Amino acid sequence: MSRETGILADRAIAALFASGRLKSERPLDEDQIQPASLDLRLSAKAFRVRASFMPGPAHLVADKLDRLKLHVIDLTDGAVLETGCVYIVPLMESLALPENMSASANPKSSTGRLDIFTRVITDRAQEFDKIPAGYSGPLYLEISPRTFPIVVRRGSRLSQIRFRIGHSVLSEQELLALHESDVLVASERPNVTGGGIALSIDLKGTGPDGLIGYRGKHHTSVVDVDKKAEHPVFDFWEPLYSRGRDDLILDPDEFYILVSREAVHVPPLYAAEMTPFDPLVGEFRVHYAGFFDPGFGHASAGGSGSRAVLEVRSHEVPFILEHGQIVGRLIYEHMMERPDGLYGLDLGSNYQAQGLKLSKHFRAE
């Protein structure tokens, strides 16, 4: 069964490449196409710039780079990107979208868990991470490591893109009906407002010590974004424990890895995206919105009980976060068709059936 509107699945993404609607400097990597998204790869040069910028409707990104770049970094054999700096990297992939197809981008899960701020930029863009229908041209990635300096190289994948035709977001009525039939979040009384279903924070803790999360350390060594299980956890992270309390004081501009109280389920014919909760509820934010591919938390794909890992920051003032407090919403969208591969066992996905989990770059000690 297929729809006329919705998110493109893996087979259709491959077809974009075959038809020339999606182009790249080199052939796609074998695992680059995900069930409902495409990983984007860095090219060979990074431009250190004075500040983040928006091209605006009258400008190409390359023209802005000529004026704002401080120096050029060769990524061919790997290079360090420092915290607190802003870099613009052309991506290997470029687009020639049909007039009825738009796209959106987001950091990959591992990117968010390293506190790397990324945004995709197009020529003449007026919004970050949004690619308008019919766009034809190059893609660029703004990168700003916030907590750890990182090593990247040509071919590193920090961001991902989704393609969609028409309106694909489920209405609140459709969302409630889908939850009734498929249990989208493990909650007795789901909170469905603002077009999404709410997620809350777990501060009870897990294991005998009541581990509730991690706080990023400062002045660490570098993290190589392309190496799995390479770095010792405690060189980069301070574990946090409940100690019999059900709250956590967020310190301003510290970075936390926490976990949702609810398990999340994305059925095979749907995709989801996590959006931050209304900032008016407090001076904190789930810092990186993220994609959830079809099959995340799906039992037949090995994902029963998959919870959402949350990257959290407090801004300006300390903020007390309490167990069960709502921190984000899941927006669900229709897929145009069922993907050939589901997130999880089909693809050997890193975060299926997860609880509280750091990014794939760290090894247990």
Side-chain angles (χ1 to χ4, degrees):
M1 183 183 76
S2 62
R3 294 170 45 90
E4 293 185 356
T5 61
I7 302 291
L8 270 65
D10 43 18
R11 189 184 312 115
I13 295 172
L16 289 179
F17 189 67
S19 67
R21 295 290 188 179
L22 167 64
K23 298 179 181 179
S24 182
E25 295 176 11
R26 69 184 191 197
L28 296 180
D29 297 342
E30 184 178 346
D31 61 345
Q32 193 173 345
I33 298 177
Q34 300 297 315
S37 60
L38 172 75
D39 291 349
L40 298 171
R41 300 173 295 180
L42 304 184
S43 66
K45 290 183 179 180
F47 297 84
R48 166 83 190 279
V49 293
R50 295 168 55 191
S52 175
F53 63 86
M54 181 72 71
H59 297 283
L60 305 180
V61 175
D63 295 338
K64 291 270 188 173
L65 286 175
D66 285 341
R67 182 164 61 89
L68 296 174
K69 69 183 178 185
L70 299 176
H71 59 267
V72 181
I73 301 167
D74 186 357
L75 301 183
T76 304
D77 297 318
V80 174
L81 304 186
E82 301 286 355
T83 57
C85 299
V86 180
Y87 305 88
I88 305 295
V89 183
L91 295 170
M92 287 191 188
E93 290 73 34
S94 61
L95 302 177
L97 297 179
E99 291 300 322
N100 66 338
M101 185 182 297
S102 62
S104 59
N106 246 320
K108 288 174 58 65
S109 295
S110 296
T111 304
R113 295 186 204 195
L114 289 176
D115 199 21
I116 306 169
F117 187 69
T118 70
R119 298 190 289 197
V120 169
I121 311 173
T122 64
D123 286 338
R124 302 181 178 86
Q126 299 184 74
E127 292 181 281
F128 294 114
D129 286 332
K130 303 295 183 185
I131 297 90
Y135 174 77
S136 182
L139 299 173
Y140 300 82
L141 189 66
E142 177 186 315
I143 306 171
S144 183
R146 304 291 301 279
T147 296
F148 312 124
I150 60 173
V151 174
V152 300
R153 56 188 56 78
R154 182 173 185 261
S156 294
R157 289 143 56 171
L158 299 180
S159 189
Q160 55 193 168
I161 189 171
R162 275 186 178 167
F163 303 93
R164 58 175 56 80
I165 293 176
H167 182 75
S168 57
V169 176
L170 274 67
S171 67
E172 289 186 12
Q173 292 75 22
E174 290 175 314
L175 196 55
L176 281 168
L178 183 61
H179 178 74
E180 285 293 321
S181 63
D182 288 82
V183 186
L184 302 179
V185 299
S187 174
E188 293 182 3
R189 293 192 299 175
N191 181 316
V192 178
T193 55
I197 189 164
L199 286 180
S200 64
I201 198 79
D202 182 358
L203 295 178
K204 292 285 188 183
T206 59
D209 297 325
L211 180 69
I212 61 172
Y214 297 89
R215 177 166 49 203
K217 292 184 176 182
H218 299 284
H219 315 298
T220 68
S221 59
V222 299
V223 175
D224 190 318
V225 302
D226 296 321
K227 294 185 178 179
K228 293 183 181 180
E230 176 75 12
H231 307 287
V233 168
F234 298 122
D235 286 358
F236 294 85
W237 299 98
E238 174 193 354
L240 303 173
Y241 302 98
S242 66
R243 306 190 192 282
R245 300 174 61 91
D246 291 344
D247 58 29
L248 174 67
I249 297 178
L250 303 175
D251 292 322
D253 292 322
E254 296 285 349
F255 179 67
Y256 298 85
I257 296 290
L258 304 172
V259 70
S260 69
R261 185 173 60 159
E262 302 86 1
V264 172
H265 175 214
V266 183
L269 287 173
Y270 300 87
E273 180 177 353
M274 188 164 67
T275 61
F277 193 57
D278 187 346
L280 296 178
V281 303
E283 289 295 326
F284 74 94
R285 176 183 171 90
V286 178
H287 198 62
Y288 303 99
F291 292 153
F292 290 76
D293 274 328
F296 182 88
H298 193 57
S300 64
S304 181
S306 298
R307 293 197 282 169
V309 169
L310 309 168
E311 303 95 9
V312 179
R313 278 187 176 274
S314 180
H315 298 297
E316 305 297 335
V317 297
F319 187 83
I320 298 178
L321 196 59
E322 297 185 349
H323 177 77
Q325 190 164 344
I326 294 174
V327 293
R329 290 192 184 92
L330 284 175
I331 307 297
Y332 280 75
E333 298 185 72
H334 292 283
M335 295 293 298
M336 293 191 70
E337 59 185 347
R338 182 186 172 109
D340 288 338
L342 294 178
Y343 188 95
L345 294 180
D346 290 352
L347 304 176
S349 306
N350 290 300
Y351 305 119
Q352 186 68 293
Q354 70 180 356
L356 175 63
K357 188 174 183 180
L358 295 171
S359 74
K360 63 188 179 183
H361 308 90
F362 300 99
R363 64 174 185 267
E365 294 180 285

